[in-house]
Amino acid sequence: EAGVTQFPSHSVIEKGQTVTLRCDPISGHDNLYWYRRVMGKEIKFLLHFVKESKQDESGMPNNRFLAERTGGTYSTLKVQPAELEDSGVYFCASSHIWGFETQYFGPGTRLLVL
Amino acid sequence: GQQLNQSPQSMFIQEGEDVSMNCTSSSIFNTWLWYKQEPGEGPVLLIALYKAGELTSNGRLTAQFGITRKDSFLNISASIPSDVGIYFCAGGNTGTYKYIFGTGTRLKVLA
């Protein structure tokens, strides 16, 4: 069974540019989560999808962040325009609808905003 | 908001030594999780705890759900070089789908 995949693995952009991160969850997992870890800090929840619906987006930092999950399969997280403080590792995780505690994480996208 | 204090922040130990780390919170959780992240990878679930006082093992790893429900502990016995990584605790409550993570304990094992 393929795990959660994320693309790109690394991204270096300049302040003011736009970046789109992609996450492909494990096939059949209805729950999809985005998290972010700023260097040395905790992994912070950003938002949660159940299928294509946003269940909880309370962790999204501001309106420069837009997450979508059209069709309930893969998800994208767009940052526009990027700021320096957006740098960090963005993790995606997915879980089966009945096993929410077993969240399987992707390898993350390392974003550096210069 | 809710925060988890995880300690120590980092540890350098000799191969074969035992390791202890803990996580404390000002809030009560009914689920505690321990994850390990290796370089270039995402966190992988090691142990899940669901009941206060519960002690659960996974090989050389043992984790406990504190009686107060505000803390959890992870022990690694007889460490080996592949134990290297960052260990995260996470607390959550059934039905919220959202976990609060600690800041991580970076473990380095010297052969």
Side-chain angles (χ1 to χ4, degrees), chain B residues 14-111:
Chain B
Q14 292 286 338
E15 183 177 359
E17 288 184 353
D18 296 343
V19 173
S20 290
M21 58 190 81
N22 67 76
C23 218
T24 59
S25 170
S26 56
S27 305
I28 288 174
F29 293 112
N30 64 24
T31 302
W32 280 95
L33 308 176
W34 284 93
Y35 282 85
K36 178 189 177 188
Q37 183 189 0
E38 296 188 14
E41 303 291 330
V44 173
L45 181 66
L46 298 173
I47 294 179
L49 302 159
Y50 304 107
K51 201 161 60 172
E54 180 182 355
L55 191 71
T56 297
S57 293
N58 178 3
R60 293 177 296 104
L61 277 60
T62 302
Q64 183 161 26
F65 193 140
I67 289 289
T68 65
R69 294 200 283 155
K70 291 184 178 182
D71 55 11
S72 181
F73 309 87
L74 177 70
N75 295 311
I76 305 173
S77 62
S79 58
I80 59 178
S82 61
D83 290 333
V84 162
I86 303 176
Y87 291 79
F88 291 98
C89 61
N93 291 301
T94 310
T96 64
Y97 293 86
K98 187 165 73 177
Y99 283 89
I100 309 298
F101 281 79
T103 50
T105 293
R106 185 179 295 272
L107 178 65
K108 295 206 173 174
V109 180
L110 307 173

